Amino acid sequence: MQSLGQNEGSLSCPQGCCPTLLFNPPPPQSQNTTTKPRNSSAECRHSFVATTSSYIFPNTKFTNHESLPSLHESFGEFKKVYPQYSETDQVDHLRAKEYYHLSFSNQSCLDYIGIGLFSYYQRQHHHDTSKTQLASSSTPLSPPQYSDIPFFSISYKTGNLKTLLLHGGQESEFESAMKRRIMKFLNISENDYFMVFTANRTSAFKLVADSYPFQSSKKLLTVYDYESEAVEAMICCSEKRGAKAMSAEFSWSRLRIQSTKLRKMIVSKKKKKKKRGLFVFPLHSRVTGARYPYLWMSIAQENGWHVLIDACALGPKDMDSFGLSLFQPDFLICSFYKVFGENPSGFGCLFVKKSAITTLESSSCAGIVNLVPDRFLRQSSEDKCSSGNCKQKPLSSLQDQELSSLNSFSGRIQTSEALKVEESCELQIMVAAAEPKKGSGSVEAKEVVESLQNKKAQHGENGGFNIECRCLDQVDSLGLTMVTNRTRYLINWLVNSMMKLKHPNAAGEPLVKIYGPKVKFDRGPALAFNVFDWKGEKVEPVLVQKLADRNNISLSYGFLHHIWFADKYSEDKGKVLQTKEGRGQGLTTNKKKDRDKLGVTVVTAALSFLANFEDVYKLWTFVARFLDADFVEKERWRYTALNQKTIEV
């Protein structure tokens, strides 16, 4: 392996300044204060890319996984190239104190999408406190305890979205407090938007599709370079209601938006002010990490489109730089999970601009949920047990994953003989419904409603219910600049290092193919890639995911589609396109319906604000093991010897 140069430390200043130029920090203190300041964003971005490409393993290719530099050596060089990474040490301290389970399990979680609510420390403290309270109860409770579900669970309700938005509905103080905390975190004003809890991201998209007036505004235009269960559900529902679904296309192989085609679909040749339809726009790809110009939202609005912003793939503080007051989309969707690396269940959020409510149609919609604090569930259980009726079954949290295996999580309550969900547009409460008996220990539905609506725990300055969302508080404390810079350094180091892995044959074929942006200053903290063997054949993403999981690395896999190939890439088109199931490779077709089914399956990795250098280094060294032509077979035999199931290739 060629050693790194000795001058990187002194030459790393340009990129060290660049990451913070966009956020207008205080003037950097350096020895070159007399030189002309760098005030060009374009120059900043160019300098960042040039420095990353030139000083991370310069003029080096790795053909053997055993020749990779150690973690210690790699981290030392990383900090020379990105000296401002040390300014994010606060995240490492936070991770060690509040998310220590990540170190104990030695698990690198690179498959979380969304925003965390609570810390692991907070969850464990809640769990231990609940166990103490249960143990001190005069009447022992049957296991498992309800504290296994941290803080809240959800209950489904059906109803009319438009009616709920226009007239509101009863909600518990717990829900009101959670709404206030989330809207404050996202910088969304209650004066401008109404917020609805949904079971997950998919439910939020379906709610809009079920209520949007596609009879009069017929078009649905989406901008996704990957297949999403949520978007597919919206398209299916919308087409049944008379919509004409269209999609943007993305140029091979960096997957940039085909601007000319998208503009033609957006811009109206007619001067009438009639609304054209619904424009669904993700601020960046949760699979490839590609960020899209916000200008598309303005163009759509100027041409009579309602705009739905998908903010699910944003970093935890990216809404601070979005400029919601400037664009004012009609709808916005995001998702939250409970605890990073431990409990992915949670809920989705649908925000509807109040001025857009009247455009919606009345329809019965599923997917709206209520949040039920687990303190109420425990109290309900204690009341039942004190009367000798402990038939209530435990609630459980289930994951609702997207087909693309990207996490769109929901906490789901399973009903039992002892529980039922009252389904209406009013406040939905989990009640004990297995023939309730009148007596000192019974829980009547009316009493439950009154208890949940009137009982107050902690009170803030305004007399409202306070909820400590420790993860949100921590991200607020860290701030946009620190969170963004940290993930920027890590993802670009990973991308650059992946491209240094080459097969040891004469051609020196790359081990890894990266889809979407490569090294780029403003790319998102997500990566789509595939691994190829020395023959040039793709290793199936599901196999890579399984092997990674056995090495304590959590990855996902997705399906890239709507890919446009220029004439010079016609040969690539025949080689790479296939169905999700892996069939049809080499197939080309002129039928739009068939073309939409073709794409590229990929491995995906997403970095959270808690990711550290060890996480990306571990992924890099794992992928490098595929340089060994016998790696897969060795893994198969190893697990066979341990009497474990073999991996199906």
Side-chain angles (χ1 to χ4, degrees):
M1 181 189 80
Q2 183 172 339
S3 62
L4 300 178
Q6 298 177 353
N7 298 323
E8 297 122 18
S10 60
L11 295 176
S12 61
C13 181
Q15 117 297 331
C17 300
C18 281
T20 56
L21 279 181
L22 296 182
F23 309 111
N24 300 318
Q29 298 179 355
S30 67
Q31 296 178 352
N32 299 324
T33 54
T34 59
T35 61
K36 183 178 179 180
R38 295 178 178 271
N39 55 9
S40 168
S41 295
E43 183 181 2
C44 166
R45 287 165 167 76
H46 177 76
S47 177
F48 178 88
V49 172
T51 304
T52 298
S53 302
S54 301
Y55 296 107
I56 295 178
F57 307 132
N59 304 315
T60 303
K61 65 178 182 180
F62 298 100
T63 59
N64 187 331
H65 71 279
E66 294 180 349
S67 69
L68 300 185
S70 67
L71 171 63
H72 178 75
E73 180 184 355
S74 298
F75 188 44
E77 298 298 337
F78 171 83
K79 288 190 292 185
K80 288 181 182 179
V81 179
Y82 302 118
Q84 289 190 331
Y85 182 82
S86 60
E87 297 177 7
T88 72
D89 286 348
Q90 187 178 345
V91 180
D92 294 309
H93 299 319
L94 180 68
R95 173 172 168 146
K97 179 180 178 181
E98 298 276 343
Y99 303 89
Y100 47 86
H101 63 296
L102 299 174
S103 298
F104 290 165
S105 64
N106 193 31
Q107 186 76 21
S108 294
C109 300
L110 306 178
D111 59 344
Y112 272 66
I113 297 293
I115 302 172
L117 292 171
F118 312 113
S119 74
Y120 181 79
Y121 173 85
Q122 182 185 10
R123 187 250 188 251
Q124 287 301 102
H125 178 72
H126 168 84
H127 177 73
D128 294 341
T129 301
S130 300
K131 285 179 66 176
T132 301
Q133 292 174 348
L134 290 172
S136 62
S137 174
S138 58
T139 304
L141 297 180
S142 58
Q145 292 110 358
Y146 299 105
S147 56
D148 289 340
I149 304 175
F151 310 105
F152 69 88
S153 292
I154 69 172
S155 64
Y156 282 85
K157 65 179 180 181
T158 58
N160 190 307
L161 175 62
K162 184 174 183 179
T163 300
L164 177 64
L165 295 175
L166 286 175
H167 305 293
Q170 291 178 315
E171 61 183 16
S172 68
E173 286 192 85
F174 182 89
E175 291 175 301
S176 297
M178 185 65 81
K179 283 185 179 181
R180 289 194 302 269
R181 182 65 186 95
I182 288 175
M183 296 186 82
K184 179 182 178 182
F185 179 80
L186 297 175
N187 290 325
I188 297 177
S189 172
E190 293 185 63
N191 296 326
D192 299 325
Y193 287 87
F194 194 99
M195 174 181 164
V196 177
F197 290 113
T198 66
N200 50 39
R201 178 172 177 256
T202 299
S203 297
F205 274 82
K206 264 191 109 285
L207 280 171
V208 177
D210 286 333
S211 305
Y212 188 79
F214 285 113
Q215 292 297 323
S216 57
S217 304
K218 291 186 176 296
K219 294 183 178 180
L220 173 65
L221 177 55
T222 60
V223 187
Y224 288 82
D225 60 7
Y226 67 96
E227 184 177 272
S228 162
E229 180 187 17
V231 178
E232 293 303 312
M234 167 177 264
I235 292 173
C236 181
C237 179
S238 301
E239 288 180 334
K240 290 179 180 179
R241 301 185 62 242
K244 178 185 177 182
M246 305 178 294
S247 175
E249 293 186 350
F250 303 85
S251 301
W252 178 262
S253 65
R254 289 186 179 268
L255 300 184
R256 295 190 178 100
I257 292 177
Q258 264 285 305
S259 300
T260 303
K261 290 187 176 184
L262 181 56
R263 184 178 290 272
K264 285 182 178 179
M265 287 187 280
I266 293 177
V267 176
S268 173
K269 296 180 180 179
K270 300 179 182 180
K271 296 184 179 180
K272 295 182 180 180
K273 294 184 178 180
K274 180 181 178 182
K275 288 294 181 181
R276 302 197 69 203
L278 184 62
F279 180 63
V280 183
F281 186 74
L283 298 178
H284 76 250
S285 171
R286 63 193 300 183
V287 172
T288 63
R291 293 188 184 271
Y292 305 130
Y294 293 175
L295 178 64
W296 289 115
M297 289 181 284
S298 297
I299 296 175
Q301 289 171 330
E302 291 169 1
N303 285 272
W305 293 79
H306 287 107
V307 174
L308 184 157
I309 296 301
D310 179 0
C312 294
L314 288 182
K317 288 300 291 179
D318 283 354
M319 282 294 289
D320 285 4
S321 62
F322 169 51
L324 185 68
S325 60
L326 177 63
F327 295 103
Q328 295 187 339
D330 301 282
F331 310 95
L332 186 142
I333 294 173
C334 62
S335 59
F336 292 82
Y337 57 82
K338 290 179 182 174
V339 181
F340 179 78
E342 195 267 345
N343 191 332
S345 65
F347 51 79
C349 294
L350 169 62
F351 297 90
V352 181
K353 190 178 179 182
K354 291 185 176 179
S355 60
I357 294 175
T358 55
T359 65
L360 299 178
E361 295 178 348
S362 296
S363 62
S364 179
C365 305
I368 304 174
V369 299
N370 284 118
L371 305 188
V372 183
D374 67 343
R375 64 180 177 82
F376 162 72
L377 297 175
R378 284 199 311 275
Q379 181 63 47
S380 174
S381 173
E382 290 169 1
D383 290 343
K384 287 185 65 63
C385 287
S386 65
S387 63
N389 186 7
C390 284
K391 295 181 180 179
Q392 188 169 353
K393 295 183 180 180
L395 306 177
S396 63
S397 265
L398 301 177
Q399 295 182 21
D400 183 16
Q401 279 192 316
E402 293 194 354
L403 291 178
S404 61
S405 293
L406 297 170
N407 297 349
S408 174
F409 299 117
S410 69
R412 179 177 301 170
I413 288 188
Q414 290 186 317
T415 58
S416 68
E417 294 178 358
L419 292 177
K420 72 176 181 181
V421 181
E422 295 290 338
E423 296 183 344
S424 67
C425 276
E426 302 302 324
L427 178 65
Q428 303 303 304
I429 305 296
M430 299 301 294
V431 299
E435 299 181 359
K437 302 175 182 178
K438 293 184 179 180
S440 59
S442 65
V443 181
E444 299 292 344
K446 182 178 179 180
E447 295 173 357
V448 169
V449 174
E450 292 176 351
S451 172
L452 197 56
Q453 289 181 347
N454 300 325
K455 186 176 180 181
K456 296 184 178 181
Q458 301 175 355
H459 290 266
E461 295 179 359
N462 300 322
F465 190 103
N466 284 337
I467 299 177
E468 182 185 23
C469 295
R470 207 174 182 108
C471 186
L472 300 187
D473 295 340
Q474 292 159 355
V475 173
D476 277 337
S477 176
L478 295 173
L480 173 66
T481 302
M482 184 183 298
V483 171
T484 303
N485 286 349
R486 183 181 176 92
T487 55
R488 175 180 293 126
Y489 304 145
L490 293 172
I491 193 66
N492 279 285
W493 181 90
L494 178 61
V495 169
N496 189 81
S497 300
M498 287 281 207
M499 294 190 295
K500 298 290 184 178
L501 302 176
K502 308 285 185 179
H503 282 290
N505 50 23
E509 293 294 329
L511 174 71
V512 176
K513 167 71 177 176
I514 294 174
Y515 305 88
K518 308 271 189 307
V519 174
K520 193 173 182 180
F521 177 82
D522 56 356
R523 64 163 296 136
L527 176 65
F529 67 96
N530 273 319
V531 177
F532 291 83
D533 63 21
W534 65 275
K535 297 178 182 178
E537 297 180 359
K538 183 172 75 175
V539 181
E540 285 305 311
V542 65
L543 173 59
V544 177
Q545 183 199 35
K546 288 181 178 180
L547 290 176
D549 188 60
R550 288 176 172 177
N551 286 270
N552 293 328
I553 304 172
S554 300
L555 300 174
S556 296
Y557 57 91
F559 185 69
L560 302 176
H561 65 171
H562 301 310
I563 303 173
W564 179 83
F565 290 82
D567 291 340
K568 62 180 179 179
Y569 295 120
S570 57
E571 186 177 345
D572 288 350
K573 181 178 181 180
K575 291 180 179 179
V576 304
L577 291 182
Q578 57 184 184
T579 64
K580 270 192 309 183
E581 296 76 19
R583 298 190 297 270
Q585 187 166 348
L587 174 66
T588 58
T589 178
N590 292 322
K591 294 182 179 180
K592 182 180 182 303
K593 186 177 181 181
D594 293 334
R595 289 202 310 269
D596 289 345
K597 294 180 180 179
L598 297 177
V600 182
T601 53
V602 293
V603 184
T604 68
L607 305 186
S608 79
F609 81 98
L610 289 168
N612 61 13
F613 182 78
E614 185 176 355
D615 290 328
V616 294
Y617 177 83
K618 195 159 77 170
L619 175 58
W620 181 53
T621 55
F622 162 72
V623 172
R625 295 179 66 185
F626 286 90
L627 290 169
D628 180 355
D630 297 325
F631 171 61
V632 174
E633 286 301 317
K634 288 178 181 177
E635 286 292 296
R636 190 196 311 276
W637 282 107
R638 184 163 73 91
Y639 282 94
T640 300
L642 294 174
N643 294 320
Q644 298 189 24
K645 292 182 179 180
T646 59
I647 300 174
E648 295 182 3
V649 181

